[in-house]
Amino acid sequence: MKEELFVSGRNIPNIDPYLNIWHWQIPSYLFLGGLAAGILFFAGIFTIMGKENKMATTVKIAPMFTPFALMLGLFLLFLDLKHKMWFWQLYTTIRLESPMGWGAWVLMIMTPISIIWSASYLTEIFPNWDWKFKFLKTFEAWIIKNRILIAWPMTIYAVILGIYTGILLSAFNARPLWNTSILGPLFLVSGMSTGAAVILLLSKDHKERKIMSRIDILLIIIELFFITHLFMGFKAGSEAQINAVNLFLGGSFTAPFFTFVVILGLLLPALLEVLELRGFKVPVVIPAILILAGGLIFRFLIVEAGQITRYLY
Amino acid sequence: MRYAMALDTRKCVGCSDCVVACQTENNVPLGFCRDWVKEVVDGTYPNVSIELRSERCNHCANSPCVRCCPTGASHFEEGGIVLVEHNKCIGCGACIESCPYEARYSHPDGYVDKCTFCIHRVREGLDPACASVCPTKCIYFGDIDDPNSRIVNILKNRKFKSLAPEAGTKPQIFYLL
Amino acid sequence: MHTRRKFIKIGALGLGATALTGGVANWVVGRSTKTDLKPSTGLRVVPTYCEVCFWKCAGWAYVTPEGKIQKIIGNVDDPQCNGRLCPRGTGGVGMFSDPDRLKKPLIRVTKDGEQTYREASWEEALDFVALKMKEIATKHGPESMALFNHGSSGKYFTHLLNAFGSNNVAAPSFAQCRGPRDTGFELTFGESVSSPEVTDIRDTQCLVLIGSHLGENMHNGQVQEMSEAIDNGAVIITVDPRLSTAASKSKYWLPIKPSTDIALLLAWIHVLIYDDLYNREYVSKYAEGLNELREHVETFTPEWAYGITTIKPELIRRTAREMANAAPSVIIHPGRHTTWYGDDVQRSRAIAILNGLLGAWGSRGGIFFKEGIKIPEFPRPDYPKPAWSWQDTLTGRYPFAKEAVTNTIIEASIPGPGKEHLIKGWIVSGTNLVVAIPLKKLLMDAMQSLDLLVVVDTMPMEITGYADVVLPECTYLERHDDLRATSHREPTIALRMPAVEPQYETKPAWWISKQIGERLGLGSFYNYKDFKEVLDWQLKQVGSSLTEMERIGLKKYPRKTPVYIEPGTEYQFKTESGKIQLDSKELKSAGFDSMPVYTPHPQPEDGYYRLIYGRAPMHTFSRTANNRNLVALMPENSVWVNPQVAEIWGLRKDQHVWLKNQDGVVSNFSVKVRITERIRWDSIYIVHGFGHHHKPLTYAFGRGVNDTELITRVATDPIMGGTGMRGNFVTFIKTEPKKGVKL
Ligand SMILES: Nc1nc2c(c(=O)[nH]1)N[C@H]1C(S)=C(S)[C@@H](COP(=O)(O)OP(=O)(O)OC[C@H]3O[C@@H](n4cnc5c(=O)[nH]c(N)nc54)[C@H](O)[C@@H]3O)O[C@H]1N2
Ligand SMILES: Nc1nc2c(c(=O)[nH]1)N[C@H]1C(S)=C(S)[C@@H](COP(=O)(O)OP(=O)(O)OC[C@H]3O[C@@H](n4cnc5c(=O)[nH]c(N)nc54)[C@H](O)[C@@H]3O)O[C@H]1N2
Ligand code: SF4
Ligand code: SF4
Ligand code: SF4
Ligand code: SF4
Ligand code: SF4
Ligand SMILES: [Mo]
């Protein structure tokens, strides 16, 4: 029998018996970031493709929520800091190697873009809106004329932001479960899927919804592919990684993961969307909400489980 | 200059003096610790072996905790000592997540804390508190870039290992076997 | 039965629980000082010697300008610690900063039919004690006062009782601890191995540990030297039913069936003699009785011992040869806590004989000769001669008890027909008798019968709950004490002085003793205002002064006598004949076996396991169980169970169980299971000193189990009165038992 124990009685809060430094704030932050990235990506890409009027909700309405999502996300990050008074130092340092710093900066850029973007559609969506000041009106006019110029960086940054939500975790090699480069694309796709779900919820236009549904089904398929790939990669990995993935394949995370993420969060909404496309009457809120809930739970589980996994020595 | 530590598992008795000494030397709040002692028992009665290891931050040469710190609070000091500057640390926890050794903890006052190799003592030419208290003298501290140092001498003459080298952090704590 | 002295939980007063006054507590929690990268500056450094155990390492207390003790470190000049305290010494700060400390004198009162304590002034408490002592002296004679003590404070109360007219002074460190060993060695070599033991582990080539668990038993100097021996490649042989830490460092671990050590020792003796491995020259020169011994051990072959001990004959032979190869640089360690099975003097004798056969005594790497510096006693009148003394309480038993036997003093405190020498009052200082002495019923009956029970302690330990008066002593970090004058490799003296002023209303024992003494009209025995005068006077007699010692803390003196037997010289052992007694004439004439014999001891029944116990390096008995700094390392004990046993019982790791002994006694609290290959399947192991049931110990309360309460069967050594405690067997209870009425 092999036995391992701390003879010095180590029992540090939030570290022992397993790491639990990041609580609900971080997965929520990642969720909001991914969701905003998804929406802004679609808004940007359809603008570049010149489909802003065909995809009005995607381009004009859904982005209005993103500044709030991003600011709320940043606020949650702030909430999770243990030494809050020193928060500002995030923005007096640029450390490209630090995913945390990177995220803070990406958000710092993304949030104003999302605000400007949304603002530029305010008068179009709310005809009574009045900017009050002349210079704002001039600015608005300039933006409206050059939207495509903003759409490009916005789309690119959206991809970066989406990937970042996964990279933040995969940068931590010390957590075997996170130690995989698939996490970036996986979180990007998952974020896009949640973005699409929000658009589906908001859109009244049947055609737009059909397009987004198709995209969403595709995203879900890619996501499932990534997840399978992730697990297979771990299974072929080191002992620490095998132990890590076993949390999801037979371990304590198996039931919540397969029930809430795979079945209720991916397979069922995909099925419902397929059915809808085939002409069955399915209230669109159901798959959309399932996807959103699944995406949120997915992030909670990955953050939680990742902290449990560790190197064995 | 490259500070490192070698611990003799053959002599360590697991008394945890190194842990208390660190506590009183560095004002580590009770319930927390910068070093800890692990016992690994292997075999089947009556063929049983024990390994006793006093562990702490490995002051990794390739340290993810320094890399991932968004503010630069975690940084290298002379001799590769990895330190946290309390007033720069925002308590984001990234470094804690990044450490494969669970060597860091969140201090009740918010900043992240860990072993400093007792840099305040080392600068005065003293051994770290844990090394200077150890009743079995099983902790050797020194400069592994100095070929004449005691630690180099010992590492040359003894078999040793480091912990989780596969994590790729280049740990600078060595366990003599 | 008397219920005069009901056990009182001081906590009922809310004393223990009250807020941690002042900065002490804050300091303990260690509020951040964002300065840890800077050296701690402005600290005052004060000499002391440690009191967390009885090794008494000299050290320095570092005191902050705010008067908090930041840390304690060893004195590098001290050969007892070489600048390195053990974890308990380093964590000694926790004794000082413990918020549960006794803070004021307490007097037992009855209020509304309920017994409780009330706080009292020192004046009142001391007057009370003196009055009661006078009453006892008038009614029964001063001899009817007894003292139980352990540690530094005992000295002052010994002085008090001696001046008062009693020498009934006992300590559990004899009949519950090293008594059998000392007696066994005295009978063999004419002297004991002292404390700190005169074992030359540093230079040994072969160290044999028989149950002595160095490394867990954290007697500092020995642990340090064992480490040096490991570095030097010494062969270590450990005999222990448990893979002790030392066993894990040993070349040979002999996992003996507990209680059978004498058989192994006899087989070793057999091999040494019959394979001609013993040190012929040494034995012929210094020992007598070899022929008798040879005859005696003839049949005690390794094969014979195998059947008893479960140790393979081949291994017995090989280890004997290892010892012989190393001889005389070999130590069969005498151990320290040796009250195991009631034939412990005989086991110690066997150990002593082995050392003798190998020529270890007086040899480098064996057992060396100590030398110390004698500190003259401060001038005082002669003590009165008591009409009777503790020897009389032996009533013909235990003829070789050289120190008072706690058990017989306790017995003498219970009135009974024909008892002439009755004890009516106790002072208890620095010993938690309730946890230290396994004779619970006897102890309870005795405490109920007393006219006076004074407890001097620093903590609200169990024993304080039985006192009429509780006198709070300040900790060792807050007081002057006697000079530590150790006899060891080099003569040394060390000073203990207050690092800080006594906290709360606590006082040093010398002061308490003096105050009581003066109230008893014994002022002439206390011819000084402050203990500093005594120290200064004594120091001047040995060529130093208080001022010097305050600066250096420790002073070494050159040795005048040889450390080992010098080649070509004659050496007279301190026995009557001047020779090592392989065959003890003294034992024979007292009607005991003159050479050790193996006696089978009871073995556990089915489903029961032998209860063995020992030390953890980070705790000293029960005295540190509430020390925050040390509790952080080990908050409770666990019960060690072999995986096979765990499987039979379906025990899981960390599961809580209760233990029940052969007499149906169930542990007060539950204990966590540790499933480990480190122990035999016929025994379970727990670290002594946990399972405190006294609520005012807010940290220690209810953590782990107390081995003492499960030790209801005691095998008393007929030779010196030691209480053998390892003949108890326990079984597991997996669901919480119904609570009976507890103390
Ligand atoms: N079951 C069992 N019983 C045993 C043992 C065992 O292993 N198992 N071991 C035996 C052995 S080897 C020994 S030596 C004895 C030891 O037994 P004890 O002498 O009872 O030892 P401690 O537990 O150290 O108790 C010391 C008491 O002294 C108090 N104290 C501490 N510092 C001071 C001080 O400065 N001044 C005063 N006045 N009091 C102080 C503590 O609070 C505590 O109440 O126990 C023996 N009894
Ligand atoms: N950390 C720490 N150190 C201490 C103390 C302390 O409280 N804490 N107390 C000090 C004091 S006063 C004393 S007396 C000493 C005591 O220290 P030791 O003399 O070393 O103590 P023992 O209780 O004799 O030894 C306990 C060991 O005996 C083993 N054992 C049990 N039964 C048997 C048996 O039948 N045969 C054999 N061969 N071994 C057996 C146990 O498994 C355990 O490893 O420690 C001293 N050092
Ligand atoms: S102080 Fe030394 S012997 Fe004790 S646990 Fe630490 S390293 Fe081991
Ligand atoms: S052990 Fe952990 S905290 Fe220390 S340097 Fe390495 S990664 Fe950083
Ligand atoms: S918690 Fe502090 S030290 Fe660690 S990464 Fe964040 S800012 Fe840097
Ligand atoms: S080097 Fe100093 S800070 Fe690090 S564990 Fe040792 S005592 Fe603590
Ligand atoms: S051995 Fe440890 S507890 Fe005992 S006196 Fe020395 S430092 Fe203090
Ligand atoms: Mo003892």
Side-chain angles (χ1 to χ4, degrees):
Chain A
M1 190 185 105
K2 190 158 173 164
E3 196 193 358
E4 249 191 77
L5 62 155
F6 289 120
V7 278
S8 63
R10 185 182 137 131
N11 194 14
I12 306 177
N14 296 324
I15 311 275
D16 298 310
Y18 56 85
L19 205 60
N20 188 20
I21 279 289
W22 283 345
H23 306 109
W24 60 273
Q25 297 91 335
I26 296 291
S28 309
Y29 159 71
L30 298 179
F31 173 75
L32 291 168
L35 181 143
I39 295 174
L40 294 174
F41 173 78
F42 290 124
I45 204 86
F46 284 119
T47 307
I48 292 167
M49 290 161 68
K51 301 232 168 101
E52 56 262 61
N53 291 325
K54 262 185 153 172
M55 306 293 289
T57 312
T58 310
V59 175
K60 302 173 183 175
I61 297 176
M64 303 242 172
F65 290 88
T66 59
F68 299 103
L70 292 173
M71 285 191 290
L72 180 61
L74 209 51
F75 177 68
L76 292 179
L77 175 65
F78 172 75
L79 274 191
D80 200 49
L81 299 182
K82 310 283 187 315
H83 218 201
K84 295 192 175 52
M85 291 333 231
W86 279 259
F87 176 62
W88 50 270
Q89 305 207 42
L90 264 179
Y91 294 107
T92 55
T93 338
I94 299 183
R95 293 192 38 84
L96 285 180
E97 281 186 311
S98 160
M100 229 352 144
W102 215 58
W105 280 107
V106 171
L107 246 60
M108 204 54 181
I109 296 167
M110 209 54 196
T111 314
I113 295 181
S114 72
I115 293 173
I116 291 169
W117 188 270
S118 316
S120 74
Y121 279 110
L122 269 179
T123 35
E124 190 178 329
I125 307 292
F126 305 102
N128 292 335
W129 186 270
D130 180 11
W131 282 111
K132 294 253 170 32
F133 296 101
K134 179 97 194 302
F135 77 95
L136 283 177
K137 286 181 187 154
T138 330
F139 187 52
E140 184 194 26
W142 184 86
I143 291 172
I144 291 171
K145 227 169 72 204
N146 293 294
R147 266 205 192 108
I148 200 100
L149 269 185
I150 300 171
W152 271 109
M154 186 169 86
T155 313
I156 294 166
Y157 268 108
V159 174
I160 295 176
L161 177 60
I163 292 182
Y164 156 73
T165 60
I167 296 251
L168 175 66
L169 301 182
S170 68
F172 296 117
N173 295 347
R175 309 285 127 218
L177 183 71
W178 297 345
N179 189 2
T180 164
S181 48
I182 294 184
L183 236 43
L186 174 57
F187 272 51
L188 171 68
V189 175
S190 163
M192 286 185 167
S193 167
T194 53
V198 171
I199 296 169
L200 280 175
L201 268 181
L202 294 173
S203 175
K204 303 258 160 6
D205 177 356
H206 185 69
K207 269 200 181 141
E208 188 180 15
R209 285 205 332 227
K210 211 163 160 178
I211 293 171
M212 288 315 292
S213 272
R214 284 208 174 112
I215 293 176
D216 202 28
I217 291 165
L218 186 68
L219 290 171
I220 287 174
I221 291 168
I222 299 174
E223 214 178 321
L224 284 167
F225 169 76
F226 277 148
I227 288 172
T228 319
H229 200 74
L230 176 87
F231 285 179
M232 276 163 45
F234 279 140
K235 271 287 181 193
S238 66
E239 200 190 341
Q241 287 182 317
I242 293 171
N243 280 339
V245 75
N246 282 345
L247 285 174
F248 289 90
L249 303 176
S252 52
F253 284 80
T254 314
F257 180 73
F258 281 95
T259 317
F260 294 112
V261 179
V262 177
I263 299 177
L264 289 178
L266 296 172
L267 293 176
L268 184 61
L271 181 73
L272 291 175
E273 284 179 343
V274 170
L275 289 178
E276 220 226 342
L277 289 178
R278 294 263 163 98
F280 290 88
K281 273 259 159 290
V282 180
V284 74
V285 287
I286 296 180
I289 300 256
L290 284 174
I291 287 172
L292 288 172
L296 185 62
I297 293 169
F298 178 50
R299 282 160 184 77
F300 267 88
L301 294 181
I302 293 287
V303 169
E304 179 91 2
Q307 294 189 89
I308 291 178
T309 63
R310 53 163 40 140
Y311 272 94
L312 314 156
Y313 58 83
Chain B
M1 190 167 55
R2 170 74 251 192
Y3 288 122
M5 213 177 240
L7 296 98
D8 193 341
T9 58
R10 276 200 337 220
K11 291 199 288 177
C12 174
V13 292
C15 69
S16 308
D17 203 359
C18 44
V19 182
V20 210
C22 178
Q23 202 122 40
T24 57
E25 174 71 31
N26 296 308
N27 243 324
V28 177
L30 288 176
F32 297 80
C33 53
R34 292 179 177 186
D35 56 348
W36 58 94
V37 185
K38 214 167 207 185
E39 174 184 318
V40 183
V41 185
D42 211 352
T44 305
Y45 174 91
N47 300 310
V48 194
S49 69
I50 308 178
E51 180 172 290
L52 286 160
R53 293 192 308 249
S54 166
E55 301 180 1
R56 58 189 54 52
C57 166
N58 282 279
H59 296 274
C60 307
N62 179 22
S63 57
C65 57
V66 170
R67 225 177 306 125
C68 75
C69 177
T71 64
S74 284
H75 65 285
F76 291 110
E77 282 280 344
E78 75 253 25
I81 296 180
V82 175
L83 274 195
V84 183
E85 198 174 324
H86 299 167
N87 292 339
K88 257 193 167 175
C89 172
I90 61 174
C92 67
C95 53
I96 298 181
E97 301 281 2
S98 80
C99 172
Y101 305 98
E102 251 91 67
R104 297 174 163 242
Y105 65 89
S106 174
H107 191 282
D109 283 353
Y111 55 83
V112 161
D113 196 31
K114 65 180 251 320
C115 165
T116 60
F117 261 171
C118 282
I119 190 166
H120 64 289
R121 290 174 60 94
V122 172
R123 280 184 183 146
E124 291 190 341
L126 299 168
D127 264 346
C130 52
S132 78
V133 81
C134 173
T136 65
K137 289 197 197 164
C138 76
I139 307 181
Y140 304 91
F141 176 83
D143 176 5
I144 47 167
D145 282 348
D146 171 3
N148 299 319
S149 64
R150 202 168 144 170
I151 185 166
V152 168
N153 214 345
I154 278 169
L155 290 172
K156 264 195 213 146
N157 291 312
R158 289 278 298 271
K159 273 211 286 194
F160 61 87
K161 67 169 181 188
S162 56
L163 299 180
E166 68 277 18
T169 62
K170 297 208 178 107
Q172 299 298 313
I173 303 247
F174 306 103
Y175 292 93
L176 306 171
L177 302 170
Chain C
M1 192 59 234
H2 312 256
T3 46
R4 199 185 67 72
R5 193 168 282 107
K6 223 179 104 201
F7 177 63
I8 300 178
K9 297 183 171 154
I10 297 182
L13 294 174
L15 277 187
T18 39
L20 339 167
T21 33
V24 177
N26 267 342
W27 172 81
V28 171
V29 183
R31 298 317 295 165
S32 108
T33 57
K34 301 208 167 69
T35 56
D36 75 340
L37 305 184
K38 291 184 215 108
S40 22
T41 45
L43 298 186
R44 214 157 37 83
V45 182
V46 186
T48 186
Y49 59 85
C50 181
E51 179 85 10
V52 191
C53 84
F54 314 101
W55 200 259
K56 298 199 172 102
C57 301
W60 303 100
Y62 283 65
V63 187
T64 68
E66 302 84 51
K68 310 288 172 259
I69 298 171
Q70 172 74 40
K71 61 176 177 183
I72 310 169
I73 63 167
N75 186 325
V76 281
D77 294 328
D78 182 17
Q80 246 148 284
C81 77
N82 304 301
R84 294 160 187 265
L85 299 181
C86 88
R88 301 164 295 155
T90 309
V93 283
M95 270 171 104
F96 160 76
S97 56
D98 197 320
D100 295 335
R101 276 173 61 172
L102 292 171
K103 301 181 176 93
K104 284 182 169 182
L106 302 172
I107 294 183
R108 175 183 294 263
V109 288
T110 305
K111 218 164 87 188
D112 309 327
E114 271 296 305
Q115 294 191 1
T116 179
Y117 284 113
R118 67 174 172 78
E119 290 179 349
S121 66
W122 273 102
E123 204 63 26
E124 191 191 358
L126 295 163
D127 285 347
F128 180 89
V129 173
L131 181 75
K132 285 281 178 183
M133 282 178 72
K134 274 188 212 152
E135 276 175 24
I136 289 173
T138 321
K139 270 205 239 154
H140 309 274
E143 297 82 0
S144 288
M145 279 300 300
L147 166 69
F148 293 90
N149 76 105
H150 202 191
S152 302
S153 57
K155 183 91 190 277
Y156 314 105
F157 299 108
T158 305
H159 176 68
L160 175 70
L161 284 209
N162 288 166
F164 190 57
S166 165
N167 66 7
N168 292 318
V169 176
S173 52
F174 183 72
Q176 279 69 44
C177 175
R178 56 181 168 71
R181 169 196 87 176
D182 288 356
T183 309
F185 272 69
E186 277 155 9
L187 285 166
T188 314
F189 293 108
E191 66 183 305
S192 79
V193 287
S194 317
S195 170
E197 284 79 3
V198 287
T199 44
D200 202 8
I201 301 175
R202 185 175 79 183
D203 287 323
T204 199
Q205 289 172 36
C206 179
L207 174 63
V208 184
L209 300 169
I210 299 168
S212 179
H213 54 335
L214 290 185
E216 287 155 293
N217 152 6
M218 206 59 205
H219 272 168
N220 203 346
Q222 296 194 51
V223 176
Q224 297 192 9
E225 293 195 15
M226 180 171 74
S227 170
E228 280 184 66
I230 293 173
D231 260 350
N232 297 339
V235 173
I236 305 180
I237 300 166
T238 301
V239 183
D240 200 309
R242 183 181 66 97
L243 184 80
S244 61
T245 304
S248 78
K249 317 257 172 226
S250 303
K251 183 164 173 193
Y252 303 96
W253 171 38
L254 279 51
I256 196 167
K257 177 170 171 181
S259 79
T260 65
D261 295 78
I262 295 183
L264 171 70
L265 293 161
L266 288 171
W268 271 340
I269 296 174
H270 174 97
V271 176
L272 288 184
I273 295 180
Y274 284 87
D275 290 4
D276 209 9
L277 294 168
Y278 69 99
N279 193 330
R280 259 173 192 278
E281 194 197 328
Y282 181 96
V283 170
S284 63
K285 209 163 163 190
Y286 297 117
E288 54 187 26
L290 181 69
N291 289 335
E292 289 83 350
L293 183 65
R294 175 178 290 126
E295 209 171 300
H296 176 66
V297 298
E298 191 184 349
T299 55
F300 302 145
T301 59
E303 286 68 22
W304 164 81
Y306 173 47
I308 297 170
T309 60
T310 74
I311 307 296
K312 297 226 166 68
E314 158 55 15
L315 194 54
I316 298 178
R317 290 212 165 78
R318 198 166 351 132
T319 44
R321 213 155 294 133
E322 289 273 13
M323 296 177 214
N325 285 344
S329 184
V330 53
I331 304 164
I332 321 299
H333 198 288
R336 187 175 178 108
H337 173 64
T338 40
T339 49
W340 298 359
Y341 300 103
D343 52 2
D344 304 303
V345 173
Q346 292 293 13
R347 189 184 61 253
S348 299
R349 276 264 302 144
I351 292 174
I353 289 169
L354 271 172
N355 280 304
L357 288 176
L358 292 161
W361 192 290
S363 298
R364 186 186 177 85
I367 291 164
F368 62 82
F369 302 128
K370 64 184 179 201
E371 188 181 312
I373 182 112
K374 187 143 180 46
I375 306 284
E377 231 187 298
F378 191 71
R380 57 157 173 87
D382 286 340
Y383 290 136
K385 189 160 168 26
W388 58 272
S389 70
W390 62 265
Q391 279 92 347
D392 296 288
T393 66
L394 300 175
T395 55
R397 296 163 295 172
Y398 321 134
F400 294 95
K402 280 224 182 141
E403 293 176 34
V405 177
T406 42
N407 339 347
T408 66
I409 302 271
I410 296 169
E411 277 169 16
S413 309
I414 306 170
K419 270 195 190 165
E420 301 169 52
H421 305 302
L422 211 55
I423 282 170
K424 295 308 292 177
W426 290 2
I427 299 177
V428 179
S429 181
T431 171
N432 191 5
L433 292 180
V434 188
V435 182
I437 298 196
L439 309 156
K440 184 160 172 188
K441 169 128 192 357
L442 205 65
L443 187 62
M444 293 300 145
D445 288 354
M447 289 196 295
Q448 296 301 349
S449 315
L450 297 171
D451 287 350
L452 173 67
L453 174 46
V454 184
V455 173
V456 186
D457 209 304
T458 53
M459 291 293 299
M461 291 290 176
E462 278 74 8
I463 184 70
T464 58
Y466 297 92
D468 297 311
V469 187
V470 180
L471 302 177
E473 194 182 10
C474 54
T475 67
Y476 69 102
L477 293 160
E478 304 159 279
R479 66 187 195 223
H480 278 105
D481 258 316
D482 254 312
L483 294 167
R484 183 202 89 181
T486 312
S487 296
H488 208 242
R489 283 200 187 89
E490 313 166 74
T492 53
I493 52 169
L495 174 72
R496 173 186 287 162
M497 63 179 282
V500 291
E501 286 304 303
Q503 304 279 301
Y504 319 108
E505 287 179 31
T506 60
K507 294 283 186 190
W510 67 258
W511 183 90
I512 301 172
S513 164
K514 178 169 149 70
Q515 290 294 321
I516 298 173
E518 281 166 356
R519 283 168 172 74
L520 293 171
L522 305 169
S524 59
F525 288 88
Y526 297 89
N527 208 358
Y528 46 85
K529 265 220 183 66
D530 195 304
F531 201 65
K532 277 155 93 170
E533 293 163 43
V534 177
L535 293 173
D536 197 43
W537 181 88
Q538 289 180 320
L539 283 166
K540 293 210 163 109
Q541 310 302 304
V542 294
S544 179
S545 68
L546 194 53
T547 342
E548 185 194 35
M549 288 301 285
E550 283 173 354
R551 188 164 45 79
I552 57 176
L554 178 124
K555 197 177 171 89
K556 290 187 192 180
Y557 290 85
R559 248 194 107 106
K560 298 198 181 83
T561 57
V563 193
Y564 310 115
I565 299 179
E566 297 196 320
T569 61
E570 285 304 305
Y571 182 76
Q572 287 281 313
F573 282 84
K574 297 196 173 67
T575 51
E576 224 175 65
S577 65
K579 301 250 178 192
I580 300 168
Q581 300 293 297
L582 300 178
D583 183 21
S584 169
K585 295 192 200 84
E586 280 180 273
L587 282 177
K588 190 179 286 168
S589 62
F592 296 109
D593 291 321
S594 63
M595 284 172 287
V597 287
Y598 165 73
T599 329
H601 295 289
Q603 295 300 325
E605 281 173 36
D606 244 13
Y608 280 78
Y609 306 89
R610 186 181 299 274
L611 166 67
I612 59 179
Y613 55 81
R615 317 274 173 251
M618 49 294 266
H619 283 286
T620 303
F621 311 117
S622 56
R623 69 164 53 199
T624 53
N626 206 64
N627 177 323
R628 266 48 168 184
N629 296 70
L630 298 174
V631 167
L633 303 172
M634 181 179 175
E636 61 192 307
N637 55 6
S638 58
V639 55
W640 295 30
V641 178
N642 182 284
Q644 295 189 23
V645 176
E647 201 177 308
I648 293 170
W649 284 85
L651 298 177
R652 281 171 291 104
K653 172 176 178 268
D654 290 341
Q655 175 181 357
H656 277 267
V657 296
W658 286 258
L659 301 177
K660 185 173 87 173
N661 81 354
Q662 72 282 336
D663 297 329
V665 174
V666 178
S667 60
N668 225 322
F669 302 106
S670 63
V671 62
K672 269 192 195 165
V673 172
R674 171 177 180 187
I675 301 174
T676 182
E677 302 279 3
R678 289 180 62 183
I679 185 151
R680 285 175 64 98
W681 50 77
D682 53 8
S683 306
I684 59 107
Y685 177 76
I686 45 185
V687 169
H688 170 62
F690 290 87
H692 280 280
H693 61 82
H694 202 203
K695 283 239 170 67
L697 299 166
T698 57
Y699 257 52
F701 179 81
R703 288 185 201 259
V705 283
N706 174 1
D707 54 337
T708 312
E709 66 187 359
L710 297 166
I711 299 175
T712 49
R713 210 181 272 168
V714 172
T716 308
D717 196 312
I719 301 178
M720 51 58 72
T723 52
M725 301 193 248
R726 295 212 173 127
N728 291 266
F729 311 111
V730 297
T731 189
F732 308 102
I733 300 183
K734 289 165 74 179
T735 50
E736 178 153 16
K738 281 216 178 66
K739 284 262 157 176
V741 189
K742 279 273 139 67
L743 307 162

